[in-house]
Amino acid sequence: MSQGGRRRDWALVGAGFLALAMVVGVWAAIDRRPPEWDHANHLERAVLCARDLRTGDVRAILERSSFYPPLVPCLAGATSMAMPMEAAAALTMAAFLGLGMAAVYLLGRSMAGGPAGVAAALLFGTGPFVVFSSLRFQLDLPLAAMVALGLVSLRATEDLTRPGKALAFGLVCGLGMLTKPTFGLYIVAPAALLMARGRRRGAMGAALAVLVAGAVSLPWFGLRLFGLGAQLDARAFAQAAESGHPEALSLAGLAFYPRMLGHQVGLGAAVLVVAGLAAAAARRQWFLLAAVAAPFVVVELIRNKNLRYTLPLLGAAAVLAALGLGALPGGARRVAAGVLVVLGLAQVSAVATGVPPNFWIAGLGYWWVPASPPARAEWPHSQILALIDRDRRGAPATVSVVPNFDRFSVSNFRYYAARDGLDLRFVRAWEDPPLGVEYMVLKTGDVGPAWTAEKARRAAARLAADPHLARAFPVIGEFRLPDGSTATIRARRVPAVTGIPPPAVAAAIEAGLRRRLHEVARDVEGLAIRLLHDEGILSGRVRRAEIRTASAALAEYARPGAARLRVRDLGVTLDDLLVNPWSALAEGRFDPLDAGRVRLETATVTLPDLQAFVAGLKRFQRSTVRADGDALAITVRQAGPDVSARVRLLPATDRPIVLEAERVRVGGVPVPGALVNWVLRGVDPFPRIASRLPFPVEVGTVTVDGQALRISREHVSERR
């Protein structure tokens, strides 16, 4: 192709991108809706990454998220240093849209010439789901752009036989993995095809690419390597089952993505994709077919169905559509191109403005486009946060956001608090009782998807039915919401009981505690409870509660199938305990609300009992634990390589206990001492446990003695 032809092509692609970028910018300037769920979560990470970049805290950047890599949030975070975060997020999405269109053009040009490349780039950029995704700060459009760039750089390696190009391909792959962990799914099949073509030199080029990709991505992935498989499995199957998705191999499951193709790429492009498949097969363009077919089969077999999972395929699909367009006779091709231009303009306008109006396609069972016109109505998140911030008067506070409505959930509250620099901790809807919760945010009407709504409704119903809980959490504010519902803000303020002496209140609390222990302890022998208190008990404040038992079987008995742990000589102390005295006196019920600290001071667990408990944990069912001198020999069997180690349990400052390991092996291979802690971060459950606890938990000195694990009072850490 001549230089003039390429300049003309780039001018057309650039003009298309600038028009789309203008749409994204105008939409972002008008829209006032709060960011939804993952959109808000990624924005929060962008805010935190901006702070980490300012302080140079690389470790925090690498350790911040358990599943999502930092590349896209940190790009937006860096951009936000020069503009508001929402504008930085929109600019980041527009940049990835431009990168994706450029990469798709290059891919199409390399497969079928410049005109096909231009057509592919414009079909990709104007695809309804691509436009929709460009309006939201999520990782899937950036992933689609990186996949398209990966395919282009892979083709440039000439069957992975050119070392310099292979190194560049490896760099793109490393950055792609830092965009989203699933990047490899969309690139491995065409890479394997070219490596086979390149034979020995191809294998060497592939090795170079893997080496570079690993060097780029391993600093982040290494910390999560041994837990990532379980997370992927949970997202692919367990969460889909909870959400009511059809079985993967059912007719509804298999038909989902083919049926929704027009919703993603547009109705006209969808017809051309089918024609392009035939054209690619006729031309034996196996590279393009492998780039589409192999990952498509994988996502078909995953139960969790979401259009975001096939978005990274749309670049290659757009090239297929361009091939289908090129296969038409000259006159028909010109007519089809004109129709596609009109459809593209209509699709972009329908998604971003709602004009022309959307319509339901009855035969396929979906809307023409994922319409998302900007919403001008203001939601009162800032006012609610300001109210809570004033009320807490500088004290640390935990806020439970009970609804999980897309525009009114813990995710967008957490983002706005991070953006505005408010030192607040947010949790989801509280379980009964609301432990550690100082403020509650509730909502009438729609409270979110069916699989989370029941929990939110239970919390609201409990407040409505229990006057004692409502008395402890009085309403401090109400706000009318744009969807016609009402938000209610409650603050924990336990009023003191009157006319009843402190010993009588203490007796009622102790009696309620004895009854409530049945929820977590069965087969209890030798139970003794002691409450140390003063006049503050009239407001529910107990200076110390001591619980001792000779033997008990501990478990979350309210959860079916919960693992049980037999413990002997158990001693637990709760300092600065706060309970609801009104429910204790009126109904004999123990309702704990908070604690300054919980200390596990003494306990004895035999190794057979510990092994039985571990076998009852879903993630560790096949794992084993046994005594090895003064330590535990643990083997964690999981999806991926097994991990074995000799482990001691030591006091910690940021979690109940910390694991100290030696003789660590991954898949039977010894791990160098310098990497031991790196491996442990992926399997150590205690940091996650600590992050979910509503109050500090301390554990006494842990020793392994014979065939038992013992916790003793000696040197119980005063860490908090």
Side-chain angles (χ1 to χ4, degrees), residues 478-492:
E478 288 188 341
F479 297 83
R480 193 71 176 167
L481 303 181
D483 69 339
S485 64
T486 300
T488 302
I489 318 304
R490 292 178 176 267
R492 191 179 70 197

Side-chain angles (χ1 to χ4, degrees), residues 325-384:
L325 178 64
L328 296 175
R333 183 167 60 249
R334 286 189 290 273
V335 171
V339 171
L340 288 173
V341 169
V342 173
L343 278 176
L345 294 173
Q347 288 164 183
V348 173
S349 180
V351 172
T353 70
V355 178
N358 210 354
F359 59 88
W360 181 257
I361 304 175
L364 294 174
Y366 63 78
W367 291 95
W368 170 40
V369 296
S372 183
R376 297 175 181 271
E378 295 277 358
W379 288 71
H381 293 72
S382 295
Q383 297 94 305
I384 292 171

Side-chain angles (χ1 to χ4, degrees), residues 107 110 149-166 168-169 194 287:
L107 182 62
S110 70
L149 184 61
L151 293 174
V152 170
S153 60
L154 176 58
R155 279 186 59 82
T157 64
E158 297 180 9
D159 296 342
L160 288 164
T161 59
R162 300 182 63 182
K165 299 291 186 179
F169 170 62
L194 295 197
F287 176 87

Side-chain angles (χ1 to χ4, degrees), residues 453-471:
E454 185 57 35
K455 187 176 181 181
R457 293 192 184 104
R458 280 200 308 268
R462 174 69 196 281
L463 281 163
D466 187 349
H468 312 298
L469 180 60
R471 188 198 300 262

Side-chain angles (χ1 to χ4, degrees), residues 94 121 261 327 353-355 373 426 662 665:
L261 182 60
T353 70
V355 178
F426 289 87
E662 58 187 15
R665 291 177 175 268

